[in-house]
Amino acid sequence: MKLDQSDVLFGLDLSVSNPQPGSATQQYKSDSAGLSDMATAQIEDTLGYTFNDRALLVEALTHCSSLDVTSSSYQRLEFLGDAVLDFFLTKRYYDHQPPLNPHRMTLVKHVAASNDLFAIVLVCNGLQKHVCHGSVTVRDAIHDYELRLKHARKVWSQRHSNEEKDHREDSATMERPAKSRRTSSSSEKSSIDIYSDLPPEVWDAVRAPKVLGDILESLVGAVFVDSGMSHETVKSVYERVLSPFLDRFVDSGKLSLHPVIQTLLVCQGWGCDAVSWENGTDSNPLEYTNRYVCHVIAHGQRISTSTGDSPRHAKYNAANALLTAIGASAPNALDGDLNAVHYLSADKATSGKPGETALDKLLKPICTCAERRLAEAEQRAAAEEKKKRMEIEQNNTSGGIADAEDTTLATDVKMSDNIEEGELV
């Protein structure tokens, strides 16, 4: 079970999503001329690395909107850090055991290297507090993201607690809990878990502002430069900050196949390859923010529609809505059976043929892919047959010309022999 955007949006008190003017200066170090010793120590403790040149750390945290002219923006370091992380992530899934085929490597790395995932890691480690900027838009975007992520964790925690409560009530009728279990749970609470109550695949439900993922990449780039481009040093930062998150939420069997990819696989497996996406905007003037709408289109017909706070998330939600409607379950992207996306159970509400699925009801009336493929196959067969006939005719024509040439040559030789015999007589 995962969260979708409705879980994040509904029930969220947005009256506090826009802080009062001036409050961001205290919270986000807007237009700061540098970092305090305490802030630097906190960042270095999180990264597990001590900077030799603090100016690189300041640059890695400076947004291009900052009015601090003493430091460049993080963009150059972000470009470098992106390449460094891309190398480690590529090697991670290349070395995976059992070996992954190229398709699975692409699926998993696409998630592991996403900006939304980097943003979650940054915020859970508290590093977003040190971003230096001079933009109200950036301030509000970061604050709104923190609220939505916090709300998503709260919703997930409540669901998880209810499930555990139901499980305890069911098990209580069978056996009494042992005291040792209470002891072990109390010992676990002694260590701080920064990813506690974090929903699986929450990066798909909560949209992150690009600046947060970029900052994580720029910090990695800053460490790489400050350490003299030491591979082992930057690797230790990657293993300390990013690798634990991937171990827990990506490589642990919790990463399901992306709904957009699964939608294409399901429809193609059914026999329809005319599926596309149509994006638009929601024109409802009562919406508190811009809303985007996306339709799943098959042969010009809308088979699913949903909304989101960005075109990408609207597309994700539309695909997820279609998969829910047809009863498709997503396999694990890392080691699950990708063929399982084609195994759809029969729709109980179907009034047509026995065993017909919900996807059959959607696509059979509109899909002409089978007829098109049959027509194309017949055209190819006719073209091949025509080509063979032309080759045969060409060979026959060439053979007739060759026979005529041989006959003419033989006649010329015979006449020449006769002439020579007459001259001798």
Side-chain angles (χ1 to χ4, degrees):
M1 180 176 62
K2 300 187 295 183
L3 295 181
D4 57 25
Q5 286 196 324
S6 62
D7 295 311
V8 180
L9 294 176
F10 299 125
L12 175 59
D13 183 8
L14 294 168
S15 62
V16 296
S17 63
N18 294 318
Q20 296 297 321
S23 62
T25 304
Q26 300 175 357
Q27 190 172 1
Y28 296 117
K29 294 189 66 60
S30 175
D31 295 334
S32 173
L35 292 171
S36 66
D37 292 340
M38 181 178 296
T40 301
Q42 291 175 351
I43 297 169
E44 291 178 340
D45 181 65
T46 300
L47 299 177
Y49 176 78
T50 302
F51 280 86
N52 300 306
D53 185 2
R54 187 180 293 187
L56 282 171
L57 177 57
V58 174
E59 179 181 342
L61 294 167
T62 302
H63 188 260
C64 59
S65 65
S66 175
L67 301 180
D68 180 13
V69 297
T70 62
S71 177
S72 302
S73 74
Y74 64 73
Q75 292 173 328
R76 279 170 50 85
L77 291 174
E78 178 244 331
F79 181 84
L80 180 61
D82 176 72
V84 172
L85 288 177
D86 188 76
F87 167 77
F88 285 120
L89 292 173
T90 301
K91 188 176 186 301
R92 178 189 188 92
Y93 296 111
Y94 181 83
D95 293 339
H96 186 274
Q97 293 298 327
L100 303 176
N101 60 39
H103 179 56
R104 289 190 188 273
M105 289 176 65
T106 301
L107 292 177
V108 181
K109 181 177 172 291
H110 175 75
V111 173
S114 67
N115 193 273
D116 287 328
L117 188 146
F118 289 168
I120 292 174
V121 174
L122 186 89
V123 171
C124 288
N125 281 278
L127 296 175
Q128 84 285 358
K129 299 180 294 184
H130 308 291
V131 178
C132 303
H133 64 82
S135 169
V136 175
T137 302
V138 172
R139 178 199 67 186
D140 291 347
I142 295 176
H143 189 63
D144 182 70
Y145 177 72
E146 288 181 311
L147 285 175
R148 292 177 186 274
L149 186 60
K150 182 179 179 180
H151 183 70
R153 299 176 81 160
K154 180 181 178 181
V155 171
W156 180 255
S157 176
Q158 291 174 346
R159 288 186 181 181
H160 194 60
S161 298
N162 291 336
E163 290 176 358
E164 286 187 342
K165 181 180 179 181
D166 294 340
H167 178 71
R168 286 196 300 268
E169 290 177 351
D170 293 339
S171 60
T173 61
M174 301 179 62
E175 62 175 345
R176 188 174 181 178
K179 294 182 179 180
S180 59
R181 293 180 183 176
R182 288 194 289 268
T183 303
S184 61
S185 61
S186 62
S187 62
E188 290 176 357
K189 294 180 181 179
S190 60
S191 60
I192 299 176
D193 182 7
I194 61 174
Y195 300 127
S196 174
D197 299 327
L198 193 65
E201 301 182 76
V202 66
W203 50 83
D204 285 328
V206 186
R207 179 192 178 194
K210 187 175 183 298
V211 58
L212 295 178
D214 290 348
I215 289 294
L216 183 67
E217 293 174 334
S218 65
L219 286 170
V220 172
V223 171
F224 190 52
V225 174
D226 189 72
S227 63
M229 299 193 173
S230 169
H231 175 273
E232 292 302 321
T233 300
V234 75
K235 180 182 178 182
S236 67
V237 173
Y238 155 77
E239 292 178 343
R240 180 185 178 92
V241 177
L242 185 57
S243 188
F245 184 90
L246 298 178
D247 291 338
R248 184 167 174 176
F249 293 97
V250 178
D251 299 355
S252 60
K254 295 182 179 180
L255 179 64
S256 58
L257 195 62
H258 195 280
V260 174
I261 297 174
Q262 186 181 0
T263 296
L264 294 175
L265 290 176
V266 167
C267 293
Q268 289 170 1
W270 186 88
C272 180
D273 54 12
V275 176
S276 60
W277 314 88
E278 181 182 279
N279 292 310
T281 55
D282 192 347
S283 59
N284 188 348
L286 298 179
E287 289 284 352
Y288 67 91
T289 185
N290 290 332
R291 299 287 290 166
Y292 298 87
V293 62
C294 183
H295 310 284
V296 183
I297 307 295
H299 296 278
Q301 302 292 322
R302 296 175 179 176
I303 59 176
S304 179
T305 299
S306 189
T307 59
D309 57 358
S310 72
R312 180 168 61 88
H313 283 84
K315 184 177 182 180
Y316 174 92
N317 291 338
N320 209 31
L322 175 63
L323 295 173
T324 301
I326 64 177
S329 58
N332 178 257
L334 197 65
D335 53 12
D337 180 13
L338 296 185
N339 291 323
V341 298
H342 307 313
Y343 305 149
L344 301 178
S345 58
D347 187 4
K348 297 180 181 179
T350 298
S351 58
K353 297 180 180 179
E356 191 176 42
T357 66
L359 187 61
D360 292 330
K361 294 173 62 178
L362 279 175
L363 296 181
K364 276 185 177 180
I366 61 175
C367 183
T368 58
C369 290
E371 292 82 353
R372 175 179 55 80
R373 283 192 292 269
L374 179 61
E376 291 175 351
E378 291 176 349
Q379 290 176 359
R380 287 194 298 269
E384 289 291 332
E385 184 66 25
K386 182 178 179 180
K387 183 179 178 181
K388 290 180 180 179
R389 286 199 306 267
M390 291 179 62
E391 290 177 351
I392 293 173
E393 292 175 359
Q394 186 177 5
N395 291 335
N396 292 338
T397 303
S398 300
I401 293 175
D403 292 342
E405 290 177 349
D406 292 341
T407 303
T408 303
L409 179 60
T411 302
D412 292 342
V413 171
K414 185 175 181 181
M415 291 178 61
S416 176
D417 293 340
N418 293 335
I419 293 171
E420 291 180 355
E421 292 176 358
E423 289 178 352
L424 291 174
V425 172

